[in-house]
Amino acid sequence: MSQGEMLGPVDDAVGYVLKQAAVALRNAMDVALRPLHLTVPQYACLELLGQRPGLSNAELARGTFVTRQSMNVVLRGLEDRGLVTRPATAPRGRELPTVLTQAGLDHLRTASVAIRRIEKKMCADLTPAQQKGLLEALATCVRSLAGTP
Amino acid sequence: MSQGEMLGPVDDAVGYVLKQAAVALRNAMDVALRPLHLTVPQYACLELLGQRPGLSNAELARGTFVTRQSMNVVLRGLEDRGLVTRPATAPRGRELPTVLTQAGLDHLRTASVAIRRIEKKMCADLTPAQQKGLLEALATCVRSLAGTP
DNA sequence: TGCTCTATGTCAGGACTTTGACATAGCGGA
DNA sequence: TCCGCTATGTCAAAGTCCTGACATAGAGCA
């Protein structure tokens, strides 16, 4: 390659830098979760269940930004490993409320500290005010994009 | 669903909101590019080539955060549609410098305004200072994550 | 009651991306 | 010069995720 770090116009585009940050975070999470034999979607599922037990498959899918089908296979894998449990029959409607097992809770704890370390590292060079502003700005972006075309 | 918009602890995590924003942007770009028969990676490739003509396959892959193999199939598709051109033989080393054709440039222009409209909408409710802060904060996060573990 | 509409769980198929591997072209030091 | 070392382009295989489709359960309304 000819130039090492030439600043191009793409680096001024919010979308580009957003994508860049998301990919960097994803990769860092991936390597942090590998020793625990967890993928990022699996961890996201556990984290959500830890904070809000009894979520159904569809609710978990929306919460982790994947489809119901993908979440279904994730849950199957976690179920086979004994990390989560779903009742055989639906207590209401067709929703199968999922809960963490003790093993799942233990796994979540260790994974959670690893991920929290990643986030800490990511925000290490940000002042508390900057971090707060980042959070608010991103939330505002999400709201703006959610509106009608 | 029981609760509509209950604010959970996950919404306070920077990583979660970052992912949320990236997915929202990706989806918005997807629907905006569909009428032009372009996928997001294809558009990203065209945009990069428009700003820095002559980039090689590997350089484009790094710039769009995918693997060389994925970028190879993307380039093949764009080449078959006559939007980009690569020399049959490498002028230096093994790199094949890719450039936009006139049709590719036209396609890029229309796609670029559509995407810029999306970014404009995303940042609509942000003050210029907030937008500047967001850009800087994200760049700082990328740098922090890039450091050694 | 009966009908429609929405939402959920699940199965099959396909599209896209990544991992792994290989041959080759420059680069730099012994 | 020669030998490693890195980087590039490409092929094959695997994995991951999504789109499409179906049957079913509850809510709302005539």
Side-chain angles (χ1 to χ4, degrees):
Chain A
M1 167 108 55
S2 45
Q3 86 298 335
E5 278 304 326
M6 191 187 95
L7 186 83
V10 283
D11 298 314
D12 295 336
V14 185
Y16 188 83
V17 186
L18 182 59
K19 170 81 175 180
Q20 194 175 6
V23 168
L25 176 60
R26 166 83 182 218
N27 289 338
M29 289 176 66
D30 228 357
V31 302
L33 292 173
R34 192 160 303 152
L36 302 171
H37 302 286
L38 282 178
T39 66
V40 174
Q42 284 173 338
Y43 161 72
C45 181
L46 291 181
E47 186 72 46
L48 235 61
L49 284 176
Q51 297 185 3
R52 294 158 66 183
L55 284 180
S56 69
N57 181 14
E59 292 169 322
L60 286 168
R62 280 190 294 267
T64 55
F65 316 108
V66 295
T67 60
R68 286 170 290 163
Q69 295 85 333
S70 298
M71 180 50 64
N72 204 348
V73 309
V74 169
L75 280 180
R76 243 172 239 280
L78 294 175
E79 208 172 3
D80 292 347
R81 287 168 61 182
L83 301 179
V84 303
T85 312
R86 279 190 293 181
T89 168
R92 196 196 71 194
R94 300 199 59 179
E95 312 179 8
L96 296 178
T98 312
V99 291
L100 293 175
T101 63
Q102 184 59 43
L105 203 90
D106 295 343
H107 246 73
L108 170 59
R109 278 194 217 287
T110 58
S112 202
V113 303
I115 297 303
R116 235 164 283 273
R117 184 176 307 136
I118 299 287
E119 290 202 348
K120 205 76 179 172
K121 177 184 177 186
M122 181 172 72
C123 300
D125 293 338
L126 259 50
T127 67
Q130 271 182 314
Q131 188 170 334
K132 185 169 181 291
L134 173 61
L135 208 62
E136 292 176 351
L138 287 175
T140 301
C141 288
V142 172
R143 270 193 305 272
S144 298
L145 281 177
T148 55
Chain B
M1 165 111 50
S2 46
Q3 86 297 337
E5 276 305 328
M6 192 186 95
L7 187 85
V10 283
D11 298 313
D12 296 336
V14 185
Y16 188 83
V17 185
L18 182 60
K19 170 80 175 179
Q20 194 175 5
V23 168
L25 176 60
R26 166 82 183 219
N27 289 337
M29 290 176 67
D30 228 357
V31 303
L33 292 175
R34 192 159 305 151
L36 302 171
H37 302 284
L38 282 177
T39 65
V40 174
Q42 285 173 337
Y43 161 73
C45 182
L46 291 182
E47 186 72 45
L48 235 62
L49 284 176
Q51 297 185 3
R52 295 159 65 183
L55 284 180
S56 70
N57 181 13
E59 291 169 321
L60 285 168
R62 280 191 293 268
T64 54
F65 316 110
V66 295
T67 60
R68 284 170 291 162
Q69 295 85 335
S70 298
M71 181 50 64
N72 205 349
V73 309
V74 169
L75 279 181
R76 243 171 239 279
L78 294 175
E79 209 171 3
D80 291 348
R81 288 168 60 182
L83 301 180
V84 304
T85 311
R86 281 190 291 181
T89 167
R92 195 195 73 194
R94 299 199 61 180
E95 313 180 8
L96 296 178
T98 312
V99 292
L100 291 176
T101 64
Q102 184 59 43
L105 204 88
D106 295 342
H107 245 72
L108 170 59
R109 280 195 215 287
T110 58
S112 203
V113 303
I115 296 304
R116 236 165 281 274
R117 185 176 305 139
I118 298 286
E119 289 201 350
K120 205 76 181 173
K121 177 183 177 186
M122 181 172 73
C123 300
D125 293 337
L126 260 51
T127 68
Q130 271 182 314
Q131 188 169 336
K132 184 167 181 290
L134 173 61
L135 208 62
E136 292 176 352
L138 287 175
T140 302
C141 288
V142 171
R143 269 193 305 272
S144 298
L145 281 175
T148 55

